[in-house]
Amino acid sequence: MSTELINLTVDDVPVSVPKGTLVIEAAKQAGVLVPHYCYHPGLPVAGVCRMCLVEIEKQPKLAIACATQVAEGMVVKTQSSAAKSARTGVLEFLLINHPLDCPICDQAGECELQDFTFQEGRPATRYSPVYAKRFNPVEDFGPDVLYVPNRCILCTRCVRFMEDVAKEPVLNVSERGDRAFIGIHPEARLDHPWAGNVVDLCPVGSLLSKDFLHKARAWELDKSASICTGCSQGCNITLDTREGVVVRVRPRPNLEVNRYFICDHGRMSYRWMNRGDRIEAPLVRRGGELHATDWDEALEAAATLLRGAARRGVVLASPRASTEALFFARELFRARGGDWRGAFQVVMGEEAALAAVPNLALRAERAPNARGAELLGYGRDYAAAVAAAETAAVLLVLDEPEIAGRTQGALIYAGTVLPAGGRGEAGGGGGGARDAQVVFPIANVAEEEGTFVNRDGRVQRYFQAKPTPGMARPAWWVFSELLAILGNGDGTEARVATAAAAFDRLASSVDAFRGLSYTHLGLAGVPASSTVPVPA
Amino acid sequence: MGYPHKPHPRETVVLSRHFGEADARTYKGWVKRGGYEVLAQALAMEPGRVTDIVKESGLRGRGGAGFPTGLKWSFMPKEKNKPHFLCVNADESEPGTFKDREIMRWTPHALLEGSAIAAHAIQAEVVYVYIRGEFTEPWDFMARALAEANDARVFGAIKIYLHRGAGAYICGEETALMNSIEGKRGNPRIKPPFPAAAGVFGMPTTINNVETLAAVPQILKHGAAWYKGLSLSSPKSTGTKLFSVCGHVQKPGNYEVTMGFPLKDLLYDLCGGMRPGRTLKACIPGGSSVPILNREETESCLLDYEGVVDKGSMLGSGGVIVFDDSTDMVYQIMRLARFYAHESCAQCTQCREGTAWTTKILERILSGRGTTADLDLLLDLSENMTGKTICVLSDSCAAPVVSGIKKFKSEFEDYIAGRRKPVMVA
Amino acid sequence: MSVTAHPTPAGTEEYQPVFVGATLEALGEILTRYPTRQAALLPALWLVQGARGWISDRNMAEVAEVLGLTPAYVKGVVTFYTMYHQHPVGRHFVQVCTTSPCNVCGAEDVVRALLEATGANELGATSPDGNWTVIEVECLGACGFATPILVNDDFIESVTPDKVPDLVRKYK
Ligand SMILES: Cc1cc2nc3c(=O)[nH]c(=O)nc-3n(C[C@H](O)[C@H](O)[C@H](O)COP(=O)(O)O)c2cc1C
Ligand code: SF4
Ligand code: SF4
Ligand code: SF4
Ligand code: FES
Ligand code: FES
């Protein structure tokens, strides 16, 4: 698109948009939502549903806003009687074969057919009840997708996604006329690693997620902006929760990162957020056993350990930990002039690109914040760090319950869960979290605010979606409290009250984040300073 | 001429001159009749010059839209930096139309020659002749003629291929036809881009009807002025036109007359009029997609682009469907609606759902259970189906319904009021 | 583009590919006419139907493989065009035009006569002897020769009910 600006008005609101902009997008900028079904900014234009008909002055026929480019001086009227009645007509046609089964439809409440019918539809259908409606049985398309053809409005978004975006055309439009439906070949499955997007793209309840089937009604859901933890791509997502339980993950548009999509791996990586076997209280070791206690005692116990010998510390951190937590974990040693070493380990998997979107793939690195950890000086030489831990004065383990790290020094564990084997049980000398002197219960990604840095160095915020269990607190809080107790290194005991403040601390002391703030990051994130080399 | 009838003295036989002469199908026979002479001359001409001649002749597209042919050719890029294509529309599927079939059956070389001239004019190296799948016989004649002409190397560097359709009226729509050639569903494309910019395979393309192209060698042979002079009424309509006449006339067939010929004379004189004891009730003058004319309109209509518009319809493809007083207009309009419902490509909501719904309402009226509200509903649905879709198939369904209700309302009312025995069970 | 592998489902005999020998050669020639392989899809489907009488899901998968398409894509195209048979049909496949111009000339009587004379009895059904399937189709582009029918690839004009018995006998 060129930089030349075109001036037009949409419903009397003047806008200037780049040459080549579609009327439907220009309307958005004028604050006008033109009703539409087949159009989706992440897909090639089809112009088939004919829902977005608008009047353009001096044009003999109504035009579709989704395929018409703006022109200088254009006067667009979305509310003219001709345009409105054309759209009312489309809605009526779309509904004649529709089962009107909203009460049992998962889409109800977030259905564009419901929404626009409510807005512009006829109060009653003129389709005689004696006429048969099109009927086709529900079809199992793939591992997580069901097709309910009777609700399909044939907008072809799903077909275009598979054909033009995933570049694996496993869906088709079959037959023609009013017999048409979305088809698949009996020998094929809708099992592409990004296939789940068709469910989000479907404007009605025709493509359904089996995982979400009848789990919740749309209006019962709370939505929170978050970042996927499935890999280092850092796709922007929305966590849908119902009564404090994450029930669904959906993409949140971010043109710089994931456009409108997420992969199925990320989509399904949420159940762990609801784990019931959480550490709910701080634990301290007394007489060889871990005992639940309050925060004051636990923080004091840890402070004592750190005060004693904290100048030689090792941090084994999860690359799923927030940048803020990673920062304060390191500061526990570094701010006090200690000799510290931090490392993280990333689980690797198969890479799966979304063919038509440049720089978007399920990354082999299945962790959201490896880059953040690197920017903060954590290294990838995990084995060496584990070895160094043996002789360290303090080993701090951050949410890596299964780590077999041993140390002659003191072991502090901050985590969401204890290793398998059970809370406080003395394992067969396994080492790691179960040998800890102090255990801090921390919040998981859905329970706190924080940031991750994706593989391209983009710093992105995630928000709290559900309450923390028991006494658990965000890890940044735990470490910043500890640091305050120990003295911040600058002699102060200033406490950090919010995640935003935690980030400000980080930003003021780490070059890569200099000048950034939560306000500045907003919902879409900002690249970390690219001039800062990754510490080797 | 009115094949299978003898030429009528009032016909102007240009395209149909050799209909019925089996020998004209062969290469030798065609050359003997003066064929391929102008092709050789045209190939030696500047492409732009050929286009100019066709422009001057006033030739307009015979496929339905009546777009000036030379002008269409002139839209093709002059600077050639991509392959150019010519598509020949031999999908002839518009109910009432069967003229292209006759051209291919009797004078396949006329079409091939015209196609090669057009290809030269638009600088296309490849020509696809898209023949509807059901046209097995025309296909065979075309294939034979093409093989012979290829053997005689008359096309120079131009390559001509036949491409067989597989049962889809909509593939006659120019962009649907291109998709079909590309191995896709025959879905019309949204425009722009127009074919001259991005047509088949995304390359500059011109598409013309069989009859349009078959006229081109004649124009080159006899000159633009001669062709332009063939006009009985509006100067904007020139040349001769093949009218396919079918339905209730004594002698259905193809008749070639000069533009502006009276429809009344075509029906009563050339076609032998109605069957004994029958009178004319209605006529669809341009293939099933155009509004129906009543008797008065029919009998005062002049057959050229403007003349038919004057009567509230369109010349379309020149398929003239005749209904006498025995016709159940409601039933026939239902059949036409059913045709469009069957053929809708399913892309546009209004067309996919509207054609089927319209059919259901008409069937219900025919079953004796319609209501007067149904007529208003039909008109309103037709309004919603007109001018709002990717192609005009949707409009085409509405045209006979709207004109039919307007002009033959009492027939609908008879079914609704129970004055007429139901003919369907719904 | 990925092409799914097609193992023979258990319990079915091995799939016999269509595109071997002369058919494969024919396809090779067809491919020279178009700038893309996809463009050979309609002709390839005609070759399959010519060889097998109809186009099965397995055939579609084979065509997909040969042309570098997906089976689902091919199926979407097959189902668009009414002349491709997605199921086996009688040895003689009869298409009768019943659109308005032929309709007013008695096309529906021709259909009835054909259903009776062939023993197919019902539209779309195949006669018990497996020889005949009769369907109604929309305009065949020969409206002046009401009623035109297609028996397989034979285009027959001006059929009337009284001509039907003889016509059927000829194909026996
Ligand atoms: C639904 C539909 C069906 C059509 N069918 C045919 C057809 O069968 N043959 C044809 O020549 N044109 C047909 N046309 C018109 C073509 O789109 C196109 O205008 C024509 O082929 C151009 O050729 P011409 O300029 O020589 O007439 C059809 C148009 C529509 C909208
Ligand atoms: S299933 Fe949904 S996305 Fe696909 S065509 Fe139907 S309505 Fe559109
Ligand atoms: S690509 Fe990575 S970040 Fe994006 S959704 Fe998939 S797992 Fe999550
Ligand atoms: S109007 Fe009908 S036939 Fe034409 S593109 Fe739309 S749905 Fe297809
Ligand atoms: S949204 Fe514009 S036509 Fe569908
Ligand atoms: S209507 Fe029967 S062939 Fe055209």
Side-chain angles (χ1 to χ4, degrees):
Chain A
M1 227 170 264
S2 83
T3 47
E4 190 188 328
L5 285 184
I6 303 286
N7 304 294
L8 68 158
T9 68
V10 182
D11 294 346
D12 300 327
V13 179
V15 274
S16 299
V17 294
K19 191 176 170 184
T21 302
L22 298 168
V23 169
I24 198 167
E25 291 295 338
K28 258 184 222 171
Q29 292 198 30
V32 177
L33 174 72
V34 182
H36 60 276
Y37 292 115
C38 66
Y39 176 75
H40 187 283
L43 301 173
V45 170
V48 294
C49 75
R50 317 304 289 178
M51 185 62 197
C52 64
L53 287 167
V54 295
E55 191 169 314
I56 296 176
E57 242 179 51
K58 298 199 196 98
Q59 291 194 8
K61 288 210 267 179
L62 298 176
I64 49 171
C66 71
T68 307
Q69 293 190 0
V70 294
E72 188 59 40
M74 196 179 242
V75 177
V76 179
K77 295 177 175 169
T78 72
Q79 298 301 312
S80 79
S81 67
K84 274 168 85 171
S85 93
R87 294 197 300 265
T88 301
V90 170
L91 284 166
E92 184 180 34
F93 285 130
L94 284 175
L95 285 172
I96 62 173
N97 276 307
H98 188 282
L100 306 174
D101 55 351
C102 309
I104 55 154
C105 177
D106 274 347
Q107 191 86 1
E110 52 190 19
C111 173
E112 292 167 40
L113 192 55
Q114 272 186 335
D115 295 350
F116 294 133
T117 300
F118 182 72
Q119 209 174 300
E120 315 204 296
R122 299 180 67 88
T125 181
R126 296 178 293 178
Y127 192 70
S128 163
V130 303
Y131 302 143
K133 290 196 177 205
R134 175 168 59 233
F135 180 84
N136 285 301
V138 173
E139 242 190 288
D140 184 357
F141 271 0
D144 187 45
V145 184
L146 283 183
Y147 176 52
V148 186
N150 300 341
R151 295 182 190 141
C152 178
I153 57 168
L154 286 161
C155 70
T156 74
R157 283 191 194 177
C158 54
V159 178
R160 279 175 285 145
F161 176 79
M162 291 313 299
E163 185 157 337
D164 300 308
V165 182
K167 302 271 185 203
E168 190 179 288
V170 295
L171 297 181
N172 65 33
V173 178
S174 283
E175 305 292 335
R176 61 183 200 217
D178 75 329
R179 287 88 59 209
F181 59 90
I182 300 302
I184 191 165
H185 188 275
E187 288 176 22
R189 297 278 288 161
L190 182 57
D191 55 5
H192 185 277
W194 292 77
N197 289 294
V198 299
V199 174
D200 309 322
L201 289 168
C202 182
V204 297
S206 189
L207 292 173
L208 299 176
S209 156
K210 291 185 206 170
D211 182 65
F212 185 66
L213 204 62
H214 305 322
K215 247 199 217 168
R217 311 297 289 163
W219 52 87
E220 302 167 334
L221 297 176
D222 292 312
K223 298 177 182 295
S224 314
S226 192
I227 299 297
C228 178
T229 57
C231 80
S232 57
Q233 177 74 33
C235 293
N236 292 204
I237 56 169
T238 301
L239 291 180
D240 288 355
T241 54
R242 180 176 177 241
E243 288 165 9
V245 177
V246 181
V247 291
R248 182 170 68 175
V249 177
R250 301 239 271 176
R252 185 162 57 84
N254 187 327
L255 296 185
E256 303 296 326
V257 182
N258 54 305
R259 290 184 63 77
Y260 307 89
F261 314 116
I262 56 172
C263 77
D264 288 10
H265 170 73
R267 187 182 296 273
M268 292 303 161
S269 305
Y270 70 88
R271 281 176 202 277
W272 62 270
M273 297 174 196
N274 299 327
R275 272 178 79 160
D277 56 342
R278 294 286 293 277
I279 313 171
E280 298 203 356
L283 307 170
V284 294
R285 190 167 295 278
R286 257 184 263 126
E289 298 254 323
L290 286 171
H291 291 277
T293 183
D294 58 21
W295 276 105
D296 285 348
E297 191 195 344
L299 287 167
E300 199 44 59
T304 307
L305 295 173
L306 286 161
R307 253 188 226 114
R311 310 228 167 212
R312 276 185 310 118
V314 169
V315 183
L316 297 177
S318 161
R320 289 183 173 193
S322 70
T323 320
E324 293 79 352
L326 291 166
F327 170 70
F328 280 107
R330 144 189 137 167
E331 291 308 288
L332 283 177
F333 305 95
R334 196 173 171 274
R336 299 187 301 126
D339 155 32
W340 83 289
R341 174 174 200 138
F344 62 93
Q345 164 176 272
V346 182
V347 175
M348 301 298 281
E350 227 176 286
E351 175 137 343
L354 183 57
V357 183
N359 200 27
L360 178 56
L362 161 60
R363 303 296 174 178
E365 263 192 13
R366 300 289 208 259
N369 208 16
R371 180 80 179 126
E374 277 179 326
L375 290 174
L376 289 164
Y378 290 80
R380 286 172 181 267
D381 194 347
Y382 206 65
V386 169
E390 297 245 1
T391 56
V394 172
L395 168 59
L396 174 59
V397 175
L398 176 49
D399 211 21
E400 286 285 21
E402 305 297 340
I403 285 313
R406 287 163 188 281
T407 180
Q408 295 161 1
L411 175 61
I412 299 172
Y413 174 60
T416 50
V417 291
L418 280 171
R423 157 190 291 221
E425 272 171 34
R434 71 186 74 186
D435 292 338
Q437 267 79 55
V438 182
V439 174
F440 292 120
I442 60 167
N444 71 25
V445 64
E447 297 156 359
E448 65 174 16
E449 253 189 281
T451 56
F452 292 141
V453 184
N454 83 350
R455 62 193 299 273
D456 298 318
R458 190 179 191 82
V459 189
Q460 307 190 95
R461 288 175 68 186
Y462 57 85
F463 294 73
Q464 185 173 357
K466 68 192 200 49
T468 42
M471 297 162 71
R473 303 294 310 263
W476 63 259
W477 180 85
V478 178
F479 302 144
S480 66
E481 279 296 299
L482 260 180
L483 188 57
I485 292 168
L486 292 168
N488 282 325
D490 53 6
T492 72
E493 290 182 13
R495 282 180 152 66
V496 180
T498 61
F503 186 83
D504 290 343
R505 277 276 194 98
L506 147 75
S508 63
S509 75
V510 184
D511 279 349
F513 298 87
R514 187 115 25 224
L516 301 181
S517 71
Y518 270 15
T519 326
H520 184 189
L521 296 179
L523 279 166
V526 166
S529 163
S530 52
T531 54
V532 178
V534 179
Chain B
M1 65 178 210
Y3 177 82
H5 317 291
K6 291 211 158 30
H8 190 280
R10 293 188 65 191
E11 283 186 74
T12 310
V13 286
V14 175
L15 302 176
S16 60
R17 181 183 198 101
H18 303 298
F19 283 10
E21 300 168 16
D23 178 50
R25 290 168 175 156
T26 65
Y27 175 73
K28 272 199 191 134
W30 193 245
V31 170
K32 202 165 75 196
R33 290 168 176 78
Y36 289 120
E37 269 168 29
V38 286
L39 172 60
Q41 292 162 19
L43 290 180
M45 280 158 76
E46 260 309 294
R49 180 69 202 120
V50 180
T51 302
D52 286 344
I53 295 172
V54 173
K55 248 190 207 168
E56 283 161 36
S57 76
L59 174 65
R60 291 168 66 175
R62 305 298 196 223
F67 194 84
T69 306
L71 184 61
K72 187 190 272 192
W73 293 2
S74 70
F75 294 155
M76 291 292 278
K78 309 281 173 301
E79 293 278 305
K80 251 203 92 180
N81 41 32
K82 287 177 183 171
H84 289 188
F85 291 92
L86 172 71
C87 292
V88 180
N89 195 338
D91 194 50
E92 190 165 64
S93 309
E94 170 94 355
T97 316
F98 48 98
K99 62 197 177 61
D100 300 341
R101 171 175 183 260
E102 236 52 83
I103 291 174
M104 291 188 283
R105 264 160 33 104
W106 295 111
T107 58
H109 289 288
L111 175 57
L112 292 172
E113 186 173 4
S115 302
I117 294 170
H120 176 68
I122 62 163
Q123 304 186 67
E125 35 279 288
V126 175
V127 179
Y128 296 114
V129 185
Y130 188 100
I131 303 179
R132 66 176 294 184
E134 295 87 343
F135 274 179
T136 48
E137 210 194 348
W139 173 281
D140 289 342
F141 291 129
M142 284 293 292
R144 231 172 288 164
L146 179 59
E148 283 187 79
N150 276 334
D151 284 346
R153 298 179 194 283
V154 292
F155 302 131
I158 297 162
K159 291 203 163 55
I160 302 182
Y161 301 114
L162 307 186
H163 188 96
R164 186 179 181 193
Y169 161 69
I170 191 58
C171 288
E173 195 282 335
E174 53 190 26
T175 55
L177 184 145
M178 292 171 196
N179 276 338
S180 188
I181 289 177
E182 290 179 24
K184 299 175 180 166
R185 292 168 62 86
N187 291 339
R189 302 173 180 172
I190 48 175
K191 294 178 217 171
F194 292 93
V200 73
F201 303 112
M203 298 300 156
T205 304
T206 292
I207 177 162
N208 277 121
N209 170 258
V210 167
E211 186 186 354
T212 313
L213 292 169
V216 168
Q218 300 298 327
I219 292 170
L220 265 82
K221 185 177 221 154
H222 303 289
W226 161 79
Y227 198 78
K228 211 173 166 175
L230 294 171
S231 177
L232 300 175
S233 174
S234 167
K236 286 190 191 153
S237 296
T238 64
T240 60
K241 170 93 190 79
L242 279 169
F243 288 94
S244 309
V245 188
C246 62
H248 292 143
V249 287
Q250 296 264 32
K251 296 198 290 171
N254 281 295
Y255 295 87
E256 187 174 9
V257 293
T258 303
M259 280 289 185
F261 195 85
L263 175 53
K264 184 179 180 182
D265 295 357
L266 174 66
L267 300 187
Y268 292 100
D269 199 356
L270 279 63
C271 297
M274 304 298 110
R275 299 175 296 173
R278 290 290 169 196
T279 55
L280 177 70
K281 180 191 265 184
C283 171
I284 309 183
S288 63
S289 300
V290 306
I292 306 173
L293 300 180
N294 62 23
R295 180 175 173 171
E296 294 68 44
E297 290 161 340
T298 304
E299 294 182 346
S300 57
C301 181
L302 294 182
L303 287 171
D304 59 18
Y305 297 101
E306 294 71 25
V308 187
V309 168
D310 275 352
K311 298 294 159 191
S313 190
M314 284 178 288
L315 189 73
S317 59
V320 181
I321 310 170
V322 181
F323 299 116
D324 70 19
D325 57 347
S326 71
T327 308
D328 179 345
M329 291 308 288
V330 185
Y331 190 78
Q332 292 314 321
I333 290 166
M334 181 280 290
R335 286 297 318 202
L336 291 176
R338 187 188 280 179
F339 169 82
Y340 293 106
H342 185 254
E343 301 300 332
S344 164
C345 84
Q347 289 192 103
C348 312
T349 305
Q350 295 95 327
C351 177
R352 178 183 68 241
E353 307 294 343
T355 52
W357 188 4
T358 297
T359 309
K360 282 180 185 162
I361 298 170
L362 289 165
E363 286 172 348
R364 193 163 159 81
I365 292 173
L366 287 160
S367 78
R369 288 192 282 169
T371 63
T372 38
D374 281 339
L375 297 184
D376 294 332
L377 179 55
L378 281 171
L379 292 175
D380 196 51
L381 297 185
S382 294
E383 168 61 29
N384 283 334
M385 290 165 64
T386 302
K388 300 177 178 67
T389 49
I390 296 178
C391 83
V392 295
L393 186 140
S394 184
D395 309 51
S396 300
C397 180
V401 172
V402 173
S403 55
I405 293 178
K406 195 164 130 206
K407 295 171 191 177
F408 304 96
K409 194 164 189 181
S410 66
E411 294 195 34
F412 290 84
E413 287 166 345
D414 286 349
Y415 275 112
I416 290 165
R419 286 190 293 269
R420 187 156 183 171
K421 216 171 110 230
V423 292
M424 292 193 76
V425 279
Chain C
M1 222 175 289
S2 80
V3 176
T4 331
H6 309 291
T8 312
T12 64
E13 72 262 45
E14 211 182 302
Y15 178 69
Q16 296 293 328
V18 175
F19 292 98
V20 291
T23 317
L24 186 61
E25 262 172 52
L27 181 67
E29 188 279 315
I30 287 164
L31 281 166
T32 64
R33 304 176 196 168
Y34 307 100
T36 66
R37 288 181 83 77
Q38 177 171 310
L41 181 51
L42 267 62
L45 291 169
W46 278 121
L47 288 175
V48 172
Q49 186 152 308
R52 298 292 153 86
W54 64 293
I55 304 172
S56 69
D57 284 333
R58 300 299 303 281
N59 295 146
M60 295 179 209
E62 187 194 348
V63 171
E65 201 156 335
V66 170
L67 296 180
L69 305 166
T70 62
Y73 177 85
V74 173
K75 198 172 167 77
V77 172
V78 169
T79 59
F80 186 89
Y81 297 96
T82 52
M83 290 184 79
Y84 294 132
H85 304 316
Q86 298 170 54
H87 303 283
V89 295
R91 203 157 59 86
H92 301 307
F93 185 74
V94 187
Q95 309 178 51
V96 191
C97 170
T98 54
T99 308
S100 193
C102 291
N103 200 282
V104 295
C105 298
E108 293 184 15
D109 298 332
V110 175
V111 172
R112 273 187 285 275
L114 277 162
L115 285 174
E116 194 180 317
T118 59
N121 285 322
E122 224 180 293
L123 285 171
T126 298
S127 60
D129 59 8
N131 278 342
W132 295 92
T133 306
V134 180
I135 65 160
E136 283 187 9
V137 294
E138 299 295 347
C139 180
L140 284 171
C143 329
F145 308 92
T147 294
I149 72 171
L150 262 168
V151 182
N152 303 325
D153 277 348
D154 301 343
F155 200 101
I156 305 165
E157 296 171 351
S158 309
V159 177
T160 50
D162 54 300
K163 291 184 192 163
V164 165
D166 270 351
L167 196 154
V168 168
R169 215 167 297 126
K170 248 179 53 196
Y171 279 91
K172 273 272 157 75

